[in-house]
């Protein structure tokens, strides 16, 4: 009777351990898949951003060439103003930020009193001067 119980207990423990190990392997495989998909999405977004910037730079270069050509050929001032407006539009397409600027994270102050200011070196002399009183 005892050997049967030990055998059954070992079978149950082995089954549970097998399920845990198998679940962990599946979890790691899913994490790798998510990382790979995320990496591909980032790469695609970067490629699209660089392509859009290259197109905008090419359009701006063309607009500037047309404007300079009109000035050199002494075209009508209306046409030059139109081309100037077009070059301003294409320049704004080049200089427009494609991503929002990162937001600064607020600095956490340690508990208690703030750190005392360090003494600063005076620019005119080599002696140390105390920090200004606050």
């Amino acid at each position: 009777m005892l050997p049967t119980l030990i055998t059954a207990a070992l079978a149950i423990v082995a089954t549970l351990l097998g399920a845990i190990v198998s679940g962990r392997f599946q979890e790691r495989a899913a994490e790798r898949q998510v990382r790979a998909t995320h990496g591909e999405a980032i790469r695609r977004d970067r490629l699209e951003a660089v392509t859009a910037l290259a197109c905008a730079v090419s359009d701006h270069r063309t607009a500037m060439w047309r404007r300079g050509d009109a000035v050199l050929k002494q075209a009508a001032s209306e046409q030059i103003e139109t081309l100037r407006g077009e070059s301003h539009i294409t320049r704004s397409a080049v200089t427009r930020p494609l991503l929002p600027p990162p937001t600064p994270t607020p600095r956490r102050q340690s508990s208690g009193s703030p750190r005392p200011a360090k003494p600063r070196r005076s620019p005119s002399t080599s002696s140390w001067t105390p920090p200004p009183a606050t």
Side-chain angles (χ1 to χ4, degrees):
M1 176 107 172
L2 187 61
T4 307
L5 286 176
I6 292 174
T7 305
L10 283 175
I12 291 171
V13 168
T15 302
L16 290 175
L17 285 175
I20 290 171
V21 169
S22 174
R24 182 65 184 140
F25 280 143
Q26 288 178 351
E27 182 180 325
R28 290 178 72 190
E31 288 173 1
R32 278 193 300 268
Q33 182 65 32
V34 166
R35 279 195 307 260
T37 304
H38 182 67
E40 290 173 10
I42 288 174
R43 181 182 169 277
R44 184 182 62 246
D45 291 345
R46 287 178 180 169
L47 183 61
E48 287 175 5
V50 168
T51 303
L53 179 63
C55 289
V57 167
S58 178
D59 292 344
H60 181 60
R61 184 172 175 226
T62 302
M64 290 300 294
W65 185 86
R66 286 182 187 155
R67 179 177 156 195
D69 190 47
V71 169
L72 290 175
K73 290 182 178 179
Q74 298 176 349
S77 62
E78 269 185 20
Q79 183 182 7
I80 292 174
E81 287 300 318
T82 303
L83 291 171
R84 179 178 291 133
E86 183 182 329
S87 69
H88 287 191
I89 291 170
T90 58
R91 181 183 64 207
S92 68
V94 171
T95 59
R96 180 183 68 232
L98 299 176
L99 298 175
T103 56
T105 55
R107 299 183 98 185
R108 294 185 342 213
Q109 289 188 347
S110 61
S111 61
S113 63
R115 282 195 227 167
K118 294 181 182 179
R120 289 186 269 176
R121 183 178 290 236
S122 174
S124 61
T125 64
S126 63
S127 65
W128 289 93
T129 59
T134 55

